[in-house]
Every structure is written in structure tokens, then in C-alpha cells.
Amino acid sequence: MRLLLKALLFSGFLSFFYTSAFSQNCGNVITQNKKIGGTHVLMTDEQTLVVRGNYSYSISLFSDEKGILANVYSKSGVEFNQDDEIIFMDRNKTRKSYRFIEMGEMTKKGGQPIYQNILQLDLAAIDWFASTTINTIYIKNNTSNEMRKFTVNPNRQASFKLMSTCFSK
């Protein structure tokens, strides 16, 4: 009985510690969380998914009156066109594809081109991101039918999962 009591106290402590640590991390990930009219506006910080040499790809999640969306950034990488896709693959090799819904924009920072476009997501996508580990992304250009594969390293996998988990709460 005493051993059971110690085990319960210890598991309660771990649960409290995990919840506190997790809540604290969400404060670093969520940049905006407010209600405007009848719309819940939620936005995350930008998370880098892939870094290769002189280019990188990153993502931030947000919700507004248009639904759940993601800003995707390509720094010195490929341009994102309307109807191009990003395919996320988890460690179980499950693939899910999401399309860019706008024409995209290009800006420059320090002489480097930064391409940005918006992916249409839904709550099921966010729940999937939060419940699995995304280890690969594919960027598919539907005009040229060209697809590029990128591996997401373990630290960036964990950051993306945390961002998705915080967003889904």
C-alpha cells in the first residue's frame, strides 16, 4: 500500500512537472491568442523545418475568419505558386498533402529572396501534426510537376509537434 501511494505521488509530480513545462513552452510558441468579434484569432511563432546550405523552409500557423492556415516561407529556396503542394510525411510513412491558396509573395532581406505563401489547413491537419512526428516534407510544383524531398531533423520535428500541439489546445 505504501509503495502504491509513493508511485501515485511520484506520477502526480511528473504529471504536474510535464504540464507546467509544456504550458510554459506554449507561451513561447503562441504569439497571438484573442477573440475579435466572433472569431478566435490564434497565431504561432515561425518554426524552421528545414535548413540546407544557404536556404531554409519555415512555417507558422494561424486561424482567422478564413479558417486554419499556415504561412510557409522559403528563404533562398523554391518559389511557392498557387495550387502547388506541401506533402507532409510522418514516421509511419503516412502522407498528407495541402495546397497553397494564393499567388504568393516575394520579398528580399539582405539580398536573399524570401518567398511566402499560404497553405489551407483544417483542424484534422493540426491534430495529425500534433499526434505524430513529421520527418519528411515534399514541395511539389504542380506547374512543372517537379517534387523536392526534405528530411526534417529530430529537433525541428519536436518543435513542429510542440507548435501544433499548442495551436490545437
Side-chain angles (χ1 to χ4, degrees):
M1 183 66 163
R2 201 171 216 205
L3 185 60
L4 178 64
L5 184 59
K6 283 183 182 181
L8 286 173
L9 285 173
F10 183 70
S11 68
F13 172 75
L14 284 179
S15 175
F16 173 77
F17 178 75
Y18 176 77
T19 302
S20 296
F22 188 77
S23 297
Q24 186 177 17
N25 287 341
C26 283
N28 296 331
V29 173
I30 302 295
T31 59
Q32 189 174 31
N33 185 5
K34 61 184 171 184
K35 200 155 196 150
I36 300 175
T39 304
H40 185 199
V41 177
L42 186 61
M43 187 175 295
T44 67
D45 197 19
E46 184 179 334
Q47 299 290 317
T48 301
L49 293 176
V50 174
V51 176
R52 297 285 184 277
N54 64 341
Y55 63 89
S56 66
Y57 296 96
S58 57
I59 189 169
S60 66
L61 304 173
F62 67 100
S63 67
D64 61 15
E65 69 280 351
K66 296 177 188 172
I68 299 173
L69 306 162
N71 273 318
V72 182
Y73 303 91
S74 167
K75 296 173 184 160
S76 295
V78 298
E79 183 177 358
F80 304 130
N81 303 301
Q82 188 170 9
D83 292 327
D84 284 355
E85 300 171 61
I86 291 194
I87 302 165
F88 294 90
M89 185 172 77
D90 70 8
R91 63 180 170 201
N92 299 318
K93 305 229 183 288
T94 302
R95 295 181 188 201
K96 296 190 180 185
S97 174
Y98 304 94
R99 289 187 184 266
F100 289 106
I101 60 170
E102 294 188 357
M103 296 298 289
E105 298 176 4
M106 194 273 285
T107 57
K108 287 197 173 208
K109 184 175 181 181
Q112 287 186 314
I114 299 173
Y115 300 101
Q116 181 267 326
N117 206 336
I118 296 176
L119 281 179
Q120 180 70 58
L121 300 174
D122 55 22
L123 191 54
I126 301 301
D127 289 342
W128 181 61
F129 295 154
S131 67
T132 192
T133 301
I134 302 298
N135 60 9
T136 307
I137 62 169
Y138 297 88
I139 299 174
K140 184 177 179 189
N141 181 318
N142 284 324
T143 304
S144 66
N145 210 23
E146 182 178 59
M147 190 156 54
R148 297 173 188 252
K149 177 182 178 182
F150 300 97
T151 301
V152 181
N153 78 29
N155 290 341
R156 298 188 194 285
Q157 291 171 14
S159 294
F160 183 60
K161 187 172 189 170
L162 174 66
M163 178 179 72
S164 301
T165 301
C166 292
F167 190 86
S168 70
K169 286 188 166 202

